């Protein structure tokens, strides 16, 4: 049996079940309209059009004739004072009216010369007494030793140095420590040569750091550029702290004054073993720091040691006391 909509109905005499999907027609299925995002369904048809004609309604929204615009931004200029815009009147908008009998206030101007310095002093020097105490302290420090500069300050002014620290190297202190002791006290070029032909694995990283430290010392500290005068200096033979004698040809050559290692953070790695076992490893990281100085520092230290040793020898030298007249004689023995 078939209905008007086209649906097939199973009868009692049917041998097997037959499924049938109904067909969509104009009489059986309502028409659906697709709406855009944010759009509402508007009434359409003959009734809505007649309603708009007789009642004066309209489905369209009224258009905005004028929209307010944002105020125009004021751009600053390169005037004589940064506070000039605070004292000048605004360029846009109605000008405020001023009474005829009122006169402009004095001292309000955009020029730097017309400003009150007493007001600026509040921000520049909030505590003038502390400023005076600091100036007095600095003056006393200069005249305390009759204007003589301390030894440490004099060394900082006349000698140059450069401290450079490397990145974290994936090695331990026991492996990097011997390399640091090997290059300590050597010329920078000789230390680079030692690391170049070393069989140690960490020597490659130390070599790269020494080359970087040398470049930094030359560019930033101005070390190793040679003497200012054109006359060649005579070679000087100095005695080191270890008793070794060394010949210095150029006082501006760079050498490694100190070299030490620094312990860094531990890493995290997995060690895969047999039968699915995994061990957690903590590989260490270490860095090396070098303090570079010029050979004139080594010469000055040798001269200081020689002067100190000479003073000690002179203090131990025995000299006979001068003859003096006998005074305060007594008939009794003095012992």
């Amino acid at each position: 049996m078939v209905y008007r909509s086209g649906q097939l109905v199973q009868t009692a005499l049917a041998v097997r079940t037959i499924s049938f999907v109904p067909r969509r027609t104009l009489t059986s299925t309502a028409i659906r309209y697709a709406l855009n995002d944010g759009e509402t369904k508007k009434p359409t048809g003959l009734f809505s059009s007649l309603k708009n004609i007789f009642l004066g309604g309209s489905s369209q929204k009224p258009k905005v004739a004028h929209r307010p615009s944002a105020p125009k931004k004021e751009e600053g200029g390169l005037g004589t004072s940064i506070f000039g815009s605070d004292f000048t009147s605004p360029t846009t908008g109605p000008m405020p009216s001023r009474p005829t009998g009122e006169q402009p206030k004095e001292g309000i101007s955009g020029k730097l010369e017309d400003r009150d310095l007493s007001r600026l002093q509040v921000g520049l020097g909030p505590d003038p007494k502390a400023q005076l105490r600091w100036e007095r302290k600095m003056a006393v420090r200069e005249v305390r030793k009759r204007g003589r500069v301390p030894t440490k300050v004099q060394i900082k002014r006349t000698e140059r140095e450069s401290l450079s620290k490397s990145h974290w190297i994936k090695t331990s202190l026991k492996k990097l420590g011997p390399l640091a002791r090997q290059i300590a006290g050597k010329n920078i070029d000789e230390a680079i040569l030692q690391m170049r032909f070393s069989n140690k694995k960490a020597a490659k990283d130390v070599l790269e750091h020494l080359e970087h430290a040398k470049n930094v010392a030359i560019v930033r500290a101005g070390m190793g550029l040679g003497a200012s005068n054109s006359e060649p200096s005579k070679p000087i033979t100095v005695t080191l702290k270890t008793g070794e004698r060394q010949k210095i040809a150029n006082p501006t050559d760079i050498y490694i004054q100190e070299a030490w290692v620094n312990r860094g953070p531990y890493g995290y790695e997995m060690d895969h073993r047999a039968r699915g076992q995994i061990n957690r490893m903590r590989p260490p990281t270490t860095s090396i720091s070098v303090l570079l100085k010029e050979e004139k520092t080594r010469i000055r230290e040798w001269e200081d040691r020689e002067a100190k040793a000479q003073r000690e020898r002179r203090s131990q030298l025995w000299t006979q006391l001068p003859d003096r007249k006998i005074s305060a004689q007594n008939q009794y023995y003095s012992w």
Side-chain angles (χ1 to χ4, degrees):
M1 182 177 181
V2 181
Y3 287 98
R4 295 180 180 179
S5 60
Q7 184 177 5
L8 181 63
V9 181
Q10 182 180 3
T11 59
L13 300 177
V15 180
R16 56 182 179 178
T17 305
I18 300 176
S19 60
F20 180 76
V21 179
R23 184 177 57 183
R24 292 186 178 182
T25 60
L26 293 176
T27 57
S28 63
T29 306
I31 300 176
R32 301 180 180 272
Y33 297 92
L35 301 178
N36 298 329
D37 296 339
E39 183 181 357
T40 58
K41 187 175 181 181
K42 301 178 182 179
T44 57
L46 180 61
F47 179 75
S48 60
S49 60
L50 294 176
K51 182 179 179 181
N52 295 334
I53 293 173
F54 290 103
L55 300 180
S58 178
S59 60
Q60 298 181 358
K61 295 182 180 180
K63 297 183 179 180
V64 180
H66 174 70
R67 292 184 179 180
S69 59
K72 186 178 180 181
K73 296 183 180 180
E74 298 182 6
E75 298 182 357
L78 300 177
T80 57
S81 173
I82 60 175
F83 302 101
S85 60
D86 298 341
F87 302 104
T88 57
S89 58
T91 56
T92 59
M95 297 295 293
S97 60
R98 185 175 56 187
T100 56
E102 184 180 357
Q103 297 181 358
K105 297 182 180 180
E106 298 180 357
I108 300 179
S109 175
K111 297 182 180 180
L112 180 61
E113 296 80 4
D114 300 339
R115 282 190 286 172
D116 190 3
L117 298 180
S118 60
R119 297 182 179 180
L120 297 178
Q121 194 64 24
V122 176
L124 299 177
D127 194 354
K129 294 184 179 180
Q131 179 72 13
L132 293 177
R133 288 195 301 267
W134 181 83
E135 293 178 357
R136 181 179 179 275
K137 180 180 178 181
M138 294 296 105
V140 170
R141 180 180 297 180
E142 291 294 334
V143 301
R144 180 172 296 174
K145 295 184 178 182
R146 299 180 181 179
R148 292 177 296 177
V149 181
T151 306
K152 294 183 179 180
V153 178
Q154 184 68 20
I155 292 174
K156 290 290 184 181
R157 291 180 179 179
T158 56
E159 299 177 4
R160 300 176 180 179
E161 63 179 21
S162 176
L163 177 62
S164 180
K165 179 182 177 182
S166 68
H167 63 281
W168 296 119
I169 304 173
K170 197 173 180 180
T171 183
S172 62
L173 294 176
K174 293 183 178 180
K175 297 177 182 178
L176 197 60
L179 296 179
R181 289 188 289 269
Q182 180 181 353
I183 64 178
K186 288 185 172 58
N187 189 280
I188 186 66
D189 297 329
E190 183 180 354
I192 290 175
L193 187 64
Q194 291 283 341
M195 295 295 102
R196 181 180 177 184
F197 294 99
S198 178
N199 296 329
K200 302 292 184 179
K201 181 180 179 181
K204 182 178 180 181
D205 297 327
V206 177
L207 173 62
E208 295 178 356
H209 176 62
L210 289 179
E211 293 176 351
H212 171 71
K214 180 181 178 181
N215 297 335
V216 171
I218 294 174
V219 174
R220 295 184 180 178
M223 301 169 60
L225 300 179
S228 58
N229 52 0
S230 59
E231 298 179 0
S233 58
K234 297 181 180 180
I236 302 176
T237 303
V238 300
T239 304
L240 305 180
K241 292 183 179 180
T242 57
E244 181 184 358
R245 299 174 66 88
Q246 185 172 357
K247 187 176 182 180
I248 300 176
N250 188 5
T252 60
D253 288 343
I254 304 175
Y255 79 100
I256 302 175
Q257 173 75 6
E258 298 178 15
W260 64 92
V261 294
N262 312 294
R263 187 188 299 273
Y266 288 90
Y268 175 79
E269 289 184 0
M270 306 299 293
D271 183 19
H272 298 270
R273 308 297 296 179
R275 297 185 179 182
Q277 294 183 359
I278 300 177
N279 300 331
R280 179 178 177 180
M281 298 189 302
R282 299 173 66 245
T285 56
T286 316
S287 68
I288 181 172
S289 302
V290 291
L291 180 62
L292 304 182
K293 291 187 178 182
E294 293 182 339
E295 292 290 350
K296 60 177 62 177
T297 302
R298 187 177 286 178
I299 296 174
R300 191 257 311 165
E301 292 177 352
W302 169 70
E303 292 176 352
D304 293 346
R305 288 194 300 268
E306 290 293 329
K308 182 179 180 181
Q310 188 176 5
R311 289 194 302 268
E312 291 179 355
R313 290 194 300 267
R314 286 182 178 179
S315 63
Q316 297 177 1
L317 182 62
W318 178 84
T319 55
Q320 185 179 3
L321 297 176
D323 296 336
R324 294 185 300 176
K325 295 181 180 181
I326 300 176
S327 61
Q329 294 184 3
N330 196 349
Q331 66 271 26
Y332 303 105
Y333 295 104
S334 300
W335 59 84

